[in-house]
Amino acid sequence: MTSCGCLVLEKVEDHGGEAAGRGRGRLEQGGGGGGGCGSCAGEWRSRSETMFPIYVMGSSRASSAAAARGIVDAAGDPIWEAVKSEAKSEAEKEPILSSFLYASVLSHDCLERALSFVLANRLEDPTLLATQLIDIFNDVMMNNKDIRRSIRLDAQAFKDRDPACAQYSWALLYLKGYHSVQSYRIAHVLWNQGRKVLALALQSRISEVFAVDIHPAARIGEGILLDHGTGLVIGETAIVGNWVSLMQGVTLGGTGKENGDRHPKIGQGALLGAGATILGNINVGEGAMIAAGSLVLKDVPPHSMAVGNPAKVVGYKDKEDPSLTMKHDARRDYFEHVAVSFSDDKANGSVVK
């Protein structure tokens, strides 16, 4: 079977950035089968380090930015090669899945067509057939370089940041967080093409199937990890930068019935913990971490940690992007902050016994 030739990752260009809402800062927008032998695995590791240095070199924002600028075309498509090799191996281990793996992966000539097949069969309903969706999805992905790059960087993000995702093929075939992000990307392109009714129909179906509600007008970067996904809501005017990790139950919402730009702006490399609620046209700075269950109503500085309801900044971390390290635990300075606050409240007589 011949390759579709639709790949490969191109150099990430600076598209000028976008104002992060009412002048409150700036967010940059992203916008042949192997046999599984040792030599192939070694070649794959070497090529992956060349193509995706952001994940190999470390988690500092400096290395992340440099690596993002340095992503260039490579010979072949290493992620698609890995997906096919994994599918072949799994088909041998679990013969009962061989038909599923052939139909979903091995019968296709590129990652885009395989992803179209998987998504269409997840999102079909009695009035929106899989065959119709496959045609729509293929048309969008095969003609949009940004999506072709993003689906690979997202797959790399899942593989590297989610311990439960041991293979690239697992993201493609089984993880609804990955499915919902890629389905959103297609709906976003349709929305920008003026096909808003179809985009909204897809949004509705994505919400119904995956329990993830992302408005097709929202703008989401690349290298995104949407871990689990269940209960995630992202509003119409929200912006999510590159390399962001979002856990289940995150809400990027408005504060009422106001019109216009009314949703949060999430900076590059931020980590949003499970159940975090961020409301209004506010900024969460680059490399910030929002702890699980927090309610954020005000701007959060870059590389800070915000905790609580309402959220308060309890510390700073300058060298690492938490979205890449995936460290959710509070550090020593947080507990020191809590201890000092408790002592102050006790001295003022505000502690309830």
Side-chain angles (χ1 to χ4, degrees):
M1 184 173 291
T2 60
S3 171
C4 67
C6 65
L7 181 74
V8 184
L9 297 176
E10 299 186 346
K11 182 177 180 181
V12 176
E13 298 177 354
D14 182 3
H15 298 291
E18 304 233 11
R22 302 179 186 173
R24 299 185 180 203
R26 185 170 65 84
L27 295 178
E28 293 185 1
Q29 288 292 100
C37 65
S39 61
C40 291
E43 180 183 359
W44 157 240
R45 284 193 296 271
S46 175
R47 293 169 70 183
S48 68
E49 291 176 9
T50 301
M51 180 170 285
F52 303 109
I54 182 170
Y55 301 105
V56 177
M57 298 296 290
S59 57
S60 72
R61 54 178 161 158
S63 64
S64 298
R69 289 193 297 269
I71 293 175
V72 294
D73 287 357
D77 184 350
I79 286 185
W80 174 234
E81 301 269 353
V83 168
K84 290 193 293 182
S85 177
E86 292 163 3
K88 289 179 181 178
S89 176
E90 294 302 325
E92 293 174 358
K93 295 176 183 177
E94 289 288 354
I96 194 172
L97 293 178
S98 58
S99 295
F100 164 72
L101 292 167
Y102 179 81
S104 301
V105 177
L106 300 175
S107 64
H108 303 285
D109 57 7
C110 63
L111 181 59
E112 287 77 7
R113 296 189 191 280
L115 181 58
S116 292
F117 179 89
V118 171
L119 296 181
N121 280 278
R122 293 298 304 274
L123 295 172
E124 70 170 339
D125 68 15
T127 60
L128 198 57
L129 304 180
T131 52
Q132 296 172 309
L133 291 175
I134 287 173
D135 289 341
I136 294 168
F137 296 171
N138 278 336
D139 181 64
V140 169
M141 284 195 283
M142 301 299 282
N143 292 289
N144 190 295
K145 293 181 180 179
D146 289 336
I147 283 189
R148 298 208 301 270
R149 182 177 64 235
S150 294
I151 65 176
R152 290 168 172 82
L153 292 178
D154 292 347
Q156 188 73 35
F158 274 78
K159 171 70 164 52
D160 287 341
R161 296 183 224 161
D162 184 357
C165 183
Q167 299 182 358
Y168 296 99
S169 59
W170 290 11
L172 171 66
L173 296 173
Y174 310 119
L175 300 187
K176 72 173 186 177
Y178 183 78
H179 294 162
S180 57
V181 171
Q182 310 320 319
S183 301
Y184 146 79
R185 295 194 187 282
I186 294 170
H188 181 67
V189 170
L190 294 172
W191 180 272
N192 290 336
Q193 290 176 347
R195 304 176 71 180
K196 294 187 176 181
V197 173
L198 180 55
L200 290 173
L202 274 179
Q203 176 200 3
S204 176
R205 189 63 181 150
I206 293 166
S207 177
E208 186 177 354
V209 173
F210 301 131
V212 172
D213 195 351
I214 306 175
H215 194 283
R219 288 176 283 173
I220 299 178
E222 57 195 11
I224 301 297
L225 171 63
L226 205 175
D227 199 359
H228 301 293
T230 302
L232 179 128
V233 176
I234 298 179
E236 179 182 10
T237 61
I239 298 176
V240 178
N242 297 333
W243 323 118
V244 171
S245 295
L246 305 95
M247 305 302 290
Q248 68 272 18
V250 167
T251 297
L252 305 182
T255 56
K257 294 184 178 180
E258 72 272 24
N259 295 317
D261 196 355
R262 61 194 184 278
H263 295 103
K265 314 296 181 283
I266 310 301
Q268 175 172 301
L271 170 61
L272 309 184
T277 299
I278 306 169
L279 302 178
N281 183 17
I282 60 176
N283 281 345
V284 173
E286 292 188 5
M289 188 188 105
I290 309 300
S294 297
L295 173 62
V296 182
L297 302 174
K298 297 180 180 179
D299 289 352
V300 176
H303 299 281
S304 65
M305 177 179 179
V307 180
N309 184 354
K312 297 180 180 179
V313 174
V314 298
Y316 290 85
K317 179 180 288 189
D318 292 331
K319 294 183 178 180
E320 296 180 322
D321 281 336
S323 68
L324 303 182
T325 64
M326 295 299 289
K327 292 181 180 178
H328 295 259
D329 55 316
R331 305 189 319 281
R332 176 180 176 183
D333 53 3
Y334 167 65
F335 293 104
E336 291 176 346
H337 169 83
V338 172
V340 170
S341 298
F342 179 81
S343 297
D344 291 343
D345 290 341
K346 186 175 182 180
N348 295 331
S350 58
V351 175
V352 179
K353 296 182 179 180

